[in-house]
Amino acid sequence: MIQKLRLTLISLVILTLLCACGSTTTDAALQDGYYTAQAAEFSHGWKEYITIMVKGGNIVSVEYNALNASGFIKSWDSNYMQNMLHSNGTYPNEYTRYYAGQLLEGQGEGAIDALTGATSSYNSFQKLSAAVVEQARQGDSSIVIVDTSS
């Protein structure tokens, strides 16, 4: 009887120690993999998206861009770039890299600064980046569709 009680107590102590070793920050950790958030609708002919790669619990790569209905990438559209540069003072290849760099630097935790001339994309980026980081926390590699219109 004493031996059973001793074995039960030892088991409880071991179980308690094992539970105590678990990290309470596990829920906030980013899971390794590729994650994508995409706008639900086209805006001005483009559908924005963010894809991140997480390795070792850190964001190591960020791609932010937009596609038109035929799949052409916005930052590659030189006509669009010239028109936007002259009217807004920036262009997709500049602001997509700027926002992506800030997300990478802040690891999904830091604030993202808006770039003058790309306010609409900034608003979309805020929503898309929050969604993609949440997907990485959950380890859910399905593409999350985000309403960026409001």
Side-chain angles (χ1 to χ4, degrees), residues 40-55:
E41 302 291 331
F42 285 91
S43 175
H44 305 292
W46 301 98
K47 187 179 282 192
E48 294 177 309
Y49 67 91
I50 296 176
T51 298
I52 63 172
M53 182 176 114
V54 177
K55 187 172 183 182

Side-chain angles (χ1 to χ4, degrees), residues 91-149:
Y91 52 94
N93 203 19
E94 179 180 48
Y95 70 75
T96 57
R97 290 176 188 220
Y98 177 79
Y99 292 144
Q102 286 193 39
L103 180 61
L104 181 63
E105 185 178 311
Q107 291 294 301
E109 299 296 326
I112 307 292
D113 295 327
L115 188 64
T116 302
T119 306
S120 176
S121 292
Y122 169 77
N123 293 331
S124 294
F125 184 83
Q126 292 284 80
K127 294 172 186 173
L128 291 168
S129 63
V132 79
V133 168
E134 184 57 33
Q135 289 294 97
R137 284 190 181 114
Q138 294 175 13
D140 181 358
S141 60
S142 63
I143 297 174
V144 62
I145 305 300
V146 179
D147 180 7
T148 58
S149 64

